[in-house]
Amino acid sequence: QKEVEQNSGPLSVPEGAIASLNCTYSDRGSQSFFWYRQYSGKSPELIMFIYSNGDKEDGRFTAQLNKASQYVSLLIRDSQPSDSATYLCAVNTAGRRALTFGSGTRLQVQP
Amino acid sequence: GAVVSQHPSWVICKSGTSVKIECRSLDFQATTMFWYRQFPKQSLMLMATSNEGSKATYEQGVEKDKFLINHASLTLSTLTVTSAHPEDSSFYICSARDRYRGDEKLFFGSGTQLSVL
């Protein structure tokens, strides 16, 4: 089992819709969860982080964390074509200072 | 957010040559920097953890004699790919954490696309 799992996609949504991206992780001791956005050929850009169970909102983005289910998600409201990118879920695993990344979900927002 | 500068952005080299990649934290101090590698359509894979003033810690399967890491100051880490071969062609990305922040956020450099002919 991979430490961090994501559906590779592509996830295709129409412009203006809500995009829902999901991620599961295997280490119950993980405390910090991050969502990065990566455009093709570019390095990842941090867009959201969450540490506590529940929802965290920042503009059009909402991160949701459920530690009991080992599940973290990212909602993007009013999706725009410029949101088209690969979204990487990252988790800190016990005993490691680096983050462990999922394989990413490619999002396509159709104009 | 904190700024991490990485150079060069891309490099093309002949097989057998060595390539050095620099990673600098511009507005913060980083006792630890991380080097990742990303092949096309794959995720970031941690190669090694660079520690200021001490030896780097390499992930399983990463050859330390091939990927030389030097972290000589709190703001600079370098990765040297020695005797590069075509299979080393990849996107190399450094990242760092602000030593004075109380969180786990990683900030990434812009990445280096290495192509070995």
Side-chain angles (χ1 to χ4, degrees):
Chain A
Q1 181 187 9
K2 291 182 181 178
E3 293 181 76
V4 181
E5 295 211 46
Q6 295 180 257
N7 187 317
S8 62
L11 172 66
S12 185
V13 300
E15 184 174 355
I18 296 176
S20 178
L21 305 163
N22 305 314
C23 171
T24 58
Y25 59 95
S26 61
D27 183 4
R28 283 197 171 275
S30 298
Q31 296 293 323
S32 307
F33 307 87
F34 303 83
W35 283 99
Y36 285 83
R37 176 175 62 196
Q38 186 177 27
Y39 293 109
S40 181
K42 303 294 184 182
S43 66
E45 171 193 10
L46 179 66
I47 54 173
M48 285 289 289
F49 60 92
I50 186 167
Y51 303 143
S52 304
N53 274 330
D55 294 0
K56 179 181 178 182
E57 186 175 318
D58 184 1
R60 296 187 296 114
F61 300 98
T62 298
Q64 299 174 318
L65 174 62
N66 184 326
K67 289 186 179 181
S69 301
Q70 294 174 241
Y71 176 92
V72 58
S73 65
L74 178 69
L75 301 178
I76 306 175
R77 290 181 298 281
D78 188 23
S79 295
Q80 302 296 310
S82 58
D83 294 326
S84 298
T86 296
Y87 289 80
L88 301 169
C89 173
V91 175
N92 83 316
T93 52
R96 297 185 64 165
R97 288 177 291 170
L99 296 181
T100 300
F101 285 82
S103 55
T105 298
R106 189 157 63 94
L107 173 66
Q108 294 178 339
V109 180
Q110 307 294 338
Chain B
V3 178
V4 177
S5 174
Q6 184 174 344
H7 294 280
S9 299
W10 58 269
V11 60
I12 301 173
C13 68
K14 293 182 179 180
S15 186
T17 60
S18 294
V19 175
K20 180 186 276 189
I21 303 169
E22 286 192 354
C23 180
R24 293 180 185 272
S25 56
L26 295 187
D27 53 359
F28 66 100
Q29 293 182 332
T31 51
T32 304
M33 292 186 177
F34 305 96
W35 288 94
Y36 287 87
R37 178 168 55 182
Q38 186 177 37
F39 292 105
K41 299 191 185 303
Q42 295 187 25
S43 189
L44 282 73
M45 297 302 296
L46 180 67
M47 298 177 64
T49 300
S50 169
N51 305 295
E52 186 267 335
S54 64
K55 291 183 179 180
T57 305
Y58 290 82
E59 295 299 299
Q60 190 173 8
V62 178
E63 300 175 57
K64 62 180 181 180
D65 294 331
K66 181 171 183 61
F67 299 99
L68 302 179
I69 290 174
N70 186 291
H71 194 154
S73 75
L74 287 171
T75 59
L76 174 64
S77 175
T78 61
L79 168 67
T80 301
V81 183
T82 63
S83 186
H85 287 91
E87 58 265 30
D88 298 323
S89 299
S90 185
F91 191 49
Y92 293 83
I93 316 173
C94 71
S95 64
R97 183 174 290 134
D98 187 336
R99 69 186 298 212
Y100 293 115
R101 294 181 72 110
D103 57 38
E104 304 285 329
K105 292 179 194 174
L106 277 186
F107 298 96
F108 285 88
S110 54
T112 298
Q113 183 63 54
L114 171 63
S115 296
V116 184
L117 304 178

